[in-house]
Amino acid sequence: MAAAIACLSLAVVAVPWAAEADSRRIHWTGPDIGVLGVEKTDDGALAVALRIEVEYQGIGSFTLTGLSADIPGMRLLPVNKARDETGQVTVESGSWETLRRTVVITDCEAVPREPQPIRFTYRTWLGDGEGQVVWHPRQLPEESVTVAWQRGIAIEACDEAVERWS
């Protein structure tokens, strides 16, 4: 009886710890503005195609099941299969996979200068989990200035919009 209680206690402590440790084994590269660049939406906002690479260094594989964010001046659109976007991606241990998503910039000036987190949900052999990540800062292409990831995307998109549609 004591052995069963000890095993159960270990499982109650170890599984949540292992699941939390699992989210730290997910590594992100990007986001980079995809080949589609910037498009104007019907309501005048700027749609930006993003390419995000995800690596997993855990045991087995993990499936990224969702991304979300609350960022002033910017919103992550739902997956659009017509644009070849990815809602879920399974990454094997030691491998990289690419996500494609679109963000809309509704107000260039409102996008924060401080790094903003992206929330994600995932599934591993241990079960479902969630975490958040602040993607790496961006270096602006024609300057030697590093800015928060979302601010860099907004600057690039808004500058391109001014050049193309002014």
Side-chain angles (χ1 to χ4, degrees):
M1 182 69 161
I5 292 173
C7 287
L8 182 58
S9 297
L10 181 60
V12 168
V13 172
V15 170
W17 172 83
E20 173 62 29
D22 231 35
S23 72
R24 292 190 301 254
R25 291 184 170 91
I26 301 168
H27 304 282
W28 307 81
T29 302
D32 295 319
I33 294 179
V35 292
L36 296 178
V38 178
E39 297 174 353
K40 207 182 260 191
T41 64
D42 293 338
D43 60 357
L46 303 175
V48 182
L50 300 180
R51 188 184 71 233
I52 306 148
E53 293 192 356
V54 184
E55 178 187 29
Y56 183 58
Q57 290 296 323
I59 297 169
S61 64
F62 97 101
T63 300
L64 183 68
T65 56
L67 291 176
S68 62
D70 292 317
I71 301 173
M74 176 184 278
R75 74 177 185 273
L76 186 64
L77 293 181
V79 172
N80 183 337
K81 299 245 187 230
R83 288 177 160 251
D84 196 27
E85 293 181 352
T86 319
Q88 290 191 20
V89 63
T90 298
V91 185
E92 299 298 324
S93 181
S95 296
W96 290 89
E97 291 295 334
T98 301
L99 280 170
R100 288 178 178 75
R101 293 294 298 271
T102 300
V103 294
V104 171
I105 311 234
T106 57
D107 183 345
C108 295
E109 290 302 314
V111 176
R113 287 169 168 61
E114 306 80 37
Q116 300 295 302
I118 295 291
R119 290 180 308 283
F120 63 95
T121 55
Y122 63 92
R123 185 174 49 249
T124 68
W125 63 277
L126 291 169
D128 294 347
E130 57 185 52
Q132 67 178 26
V133 61
V134 175
W135 287 329
H136 296 291
R138 298 179 62 81
Q139 177 127 11
L140 297 180
E142 293 150 10
E143 304 172 31
S144 58
V145 176
T146 302
V147 296
W149 72 269
Q150 77 284 342
R151 188 71 186 162
I153 288 170
I155 290 169
E156 287 180 54
C158 297
D159 286 353
E160 184 176 327
V162 167
E163 287 177 22
R164 286 173 61 186
W165 295 299
S166 291

